[in-house]
RNA sequence: CGGGGUGUAGCUCAGCCUGGUUAGAGCGCGCGCUUUGGGAGCGCGAGGCCCCCGGUUCGAAUCCGGGCACCCCGACCA
């Protein structure tokens, strides 16, 4: 192709809509063009780049013994209802009806469909193991598309699915895939760090993510330079900073007018944040949950969700909190009934914490887990 | 869904507060000339439902109300 014939329009200035460096460059280089939120067209040059990336992925997947398939993007809604993920996906699932008013969905991922295919074609253990993959368009009605190509409503995903005879062979398939991914990123020139991750809605034993470090990312990871431990913050277990040591003292009720946050308590009572007990309220599958954690730490919602084995977890709204008798700003597990109480190990191990008295303007000092509250 | 911001030429923006003749600039685009050993210069030109609907007014890009779209933060992100 002659450059003179190439349809390519570069821009000196990035559109005001572009914020991230990657987004600005993609647009200015003329590789992509936005149609609507989360929907992008690829120009001839952009598409060339896209296809070269696909080629790398195909070569490495094929090299690892995986077989490519092509699956429908349009799914009868039944397969999603049968798996229970129609409800789980909620509004993220793009739904539509055909002319006979039959329900369909645009596939956000393809576990349901590949399971159908595998169930029909794999008839004996002699057919195993087999790894299938696809590079196809997926659709998700994202709550907030953003960052250029970072989070889209229509996007291309490479998805691979292995079918094995047991845990041992599954691990072998997993390792093959892992190595293929490492090579793909190497060849693409993208420096990534594999980290342990939460397996999310798919479930399962192990999960890893390949993280590309950037100031504009969506996740946080923890790395240990000496032992090599690497994990997504959603997954990572870590040692809490030490608590202030001491012997349990008698609990006392004190007036703390207008003091509603950990910072307020620190400023007015002369204690450290790690000597307070933070109260956070959630709604897990519709039921109220109270979480107690040391004041200098924050609740990790993914871990909480996994601990509760909850399908759905969200912050409790004010109305529900009031109805449950919680006093925002002065809440604690002391004397609290009527809901699940979850205690982070930090709050269990710490001694003589400052916690809410469940009455506006009052707190308790010297609160101790086990003696004064449970959870 | 909550908070914030923006919507005027293909792109970046000015004009709007203090309503009033043909709505502007730079870049890009077209044509012509010139130049041609360095992302060129000069001239001419095309291009705008001023996001949409309604209201106020003799008169609205400009004021008021409603809506839509897009971006950012959060929620969420299977």
């Amino acid at each position: 192709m002659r450059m003179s014939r190439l349809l390519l329009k570069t821009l000196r200035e990035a559109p005001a809509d572009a914020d991230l460096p990657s987004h600005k460059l993609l647009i200015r280089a003329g590789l992509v063009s936005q149609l609507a939120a989360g929907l992008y067209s690829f120009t001839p040059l952009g598409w060339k780049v896209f296809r070269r990336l696909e080629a790398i992925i195909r070569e490495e997947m094929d090299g690892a013994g995986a077989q490519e398939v092509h699956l429908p993007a349009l799914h009868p809604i039944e397969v999603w209802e049968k798996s229970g993920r129609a409800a789980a996906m909620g509004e993220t699932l793009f739904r539509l009806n055909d002319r006979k008013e039959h329900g369909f969905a645009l596939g956000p991922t393809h576990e349901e469909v590949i399971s159908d295919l595998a169930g029909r074609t794999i008839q004996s253990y002699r057919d195993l193991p087999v790894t299938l993959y696809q590079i196809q368009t997926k659709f998700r009605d994202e709550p907030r598309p953003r960052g250029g190509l970072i989070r889209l409503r229509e996007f291309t995903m490479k998805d691979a699915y292995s079918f094995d005879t047991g845990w041992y062979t599954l691990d072998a398939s997993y390792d093959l895939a892992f190595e293929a991914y490492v090579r793909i990123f190497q060849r693409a020139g993208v420096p990534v760090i594999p980290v342990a991750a939460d397996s999310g809605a798919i479930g399962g034993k192990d999960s890893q993510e390949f993280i590309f470090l950037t100031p504009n990312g969506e996740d946080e990871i923890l790395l240990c330079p000496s032992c090599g431990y690497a994990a997504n913050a959603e997954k990572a277990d870590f040692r809490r900073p030490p608590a202030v040591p001491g012997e349990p003292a008698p609990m006392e009720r004190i007036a703390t007018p207008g003091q509603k946050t950990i910072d307020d308590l620190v400023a007015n009572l002369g204690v450290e944040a790690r000597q307070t007990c933070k109260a956070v309220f959630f709604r897990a599958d519709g039921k109220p949950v109270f979480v107690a954690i040391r004041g200098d730490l924050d609740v990790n919602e993914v871990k909480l969700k996994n601990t509760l084995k909850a399908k759905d977890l969200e912050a409790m709204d004010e109305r529900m909190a009031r109805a449950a008798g919680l006093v925002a700003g002065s809440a604690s597990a002391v004397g609290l009934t009527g809901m699940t109480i979850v205690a982070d190990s930090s709050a269990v191990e710490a001694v003589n914490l400052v916690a809410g008295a469940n009455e506006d303007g009052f707190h308790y000092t010297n609160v101790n887990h086990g003696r004064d509250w449970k959870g």
Side-chain angles (χ1 to χ4, degrees), chain A residues 159-222:
Chain A
D159 231 348
Y161 318 84
S162 83
F163 299 87
D164 299 278
T165 51
W167 291 112
Y168 180 76
T169 47
L170 170 60
D171 285 343
S173 296
Y174 185 98
D175 291 343
L176 270 175
F178 180 87
E179 284 157 22
Y181 297 166
V182 169
R183 283 195 298 272
I184 288 166
F185 285 117
Q186 265 174 2
R187 288 181 59 183
V190 181
V192 291
I193 304 168
V195 304
D198 182 74
S199 56
I202 306 289
K205 182 162 68 88
D206 297 318
S207 176
Q208 280 160 296
E209 291 171 343
F210 291 86
I211 300 290
F212 172 70
L213 291 178
T214 157
N216 308 300
E218 304 187 299
D219 276 313
E220 280 185 341
I221 61 169
L222 284 78

Side-chain angles (χ1 to χ4, degrees), chain A residues 255-261 263-265 268 328-330 359-363:
Chain A
T256 52
Q259 297 168 29
K260 293 188 176 300
T261 67
D263 286 343
D264 292 341
L265 297 174
N268 290 287
S330 288
E359 185 179 344
D360 196 32
F362 291 92
H363 280 76

Side-chain angles (χ1 to χ4, degrees), chain A residues 14 42 51 64 122 127 129 178 232 263 266 274 335 344:
Chain A
F42 282 78
R51 304 251 296 186
I122 297 174
D127 291 330
F178 180 87
N232 189 309
D263 286 343
V266 169
R274 60 187 174 132
D344 186 74

Side-chain angles (χ1 to χ4, degrees), chain A residues 128-177:
Chain A
L128 298 176
V130 61
T131 294
L132 304 175
Y133 77 97
Q134 41 141 202
I135 302 177
Q136 286 186 239
T137 306
K138 319 251 174 171
F139 301 85
R140 290 180 190 171
D141 196 353
E142 289 288 346
R144 181 151 91 83
R146 61 164 166 263
L149 301 187
I150 298 293
R151 184 161 291 280
L152 298 168
R153 291 195 287 181
E154 175 177 333
F155 59 98
T156 301
M157 178 193 275
K158 192 253 34 167
D159 231 348
Y161 318 84
S162 83
F163 299 87
D164 299 278
T165 51
W167 291 112
Y168 180 76
T169 47
L170 170 60
D171 285 343
S173 296
Y174 185 98
D175 291 343
L176 270 175

Side-chain angles (χ1 to χ4, degrees), chain A residues 8-162:
Chain A
L8 180 72
K9 297 295 172 193
T10 56
L11 296 175
R12 279 178 201 269
E13 297 181 84
D17 280 353
D19 219 47
L20 305 186
S22 60
H23 190 188
K24 288 181 181 171
L25 291 169
L26 278 165
I27 303 245
R28 286 187 52 203
L31 302 182
V32 300
S33 165
Q34 182 177 34
L35 173 66
L39 301 173
Y40 283 81
S41 302
F42 282 78
T43 63
L45 193 59
W47 187 238
K48 230 173 232 305
V49 173
F50 192 100
R51 304 251 296 186
R52 288 184 64 106
L53 286 170
E54 282 192 345
I56 291 174
I57 294 168
R58 285 205 170 85
E59 282 176 29
E60 294 301 338
M61 292 309 294
D62 291 344
Q67 303 170 57
E68 184 171 7
V69 294
H70 185 86
L71 306 171
L74 193 58
H75 306 170
I77 194 69
E78 283 80 7
V79 300
W80 285 91
E81 281 166 356
K82 201 165 86 182
S83 71
R85 294 212 298 172
M89 291 285 306
E91 297 195 300
T92 301
L93 191 65
F94 267 112
R95 296 159 185 270
L96 65 163
N97 290 333
D98 69 4
R99 66 174 71 203
K100 291 179 287 189
E101 295 299 310
H102 193 97
F104 285 85
L106 293 174
T109 178
H110 283 79
E111 281 80 16
E112 278 76 2
V113 177
I114 198 79
S115 299
D116 177 86
L117 176 65
R120 291 170 194 278
T121 51
I122 297 174
Q123 298 170 334
S124 156
Y125 71 90
R126 289 165 174 274
D127 291 330
L128 298 176
V130 61
T131 294
L132 304 175
Y133 77 97
Q134 41 141 202
I135 302 177
Q136 286 186 239
T137 306
K138 319 251 174 171
F139 301 85
R140 290 180 190 171
D141 196 353
E142 289 288 346
R144 181 151 91 83
R146 61 164 166 263
L149 301 187
I150 298 293
R151 184 161 291 280
L152 298 168
R153 291 195 287 181
E154 175 177 333
F155 59 98
T156 301
M157 178 193 275
K158 192 253 34 167
D159 231 348
Y161 318 84
S162 83

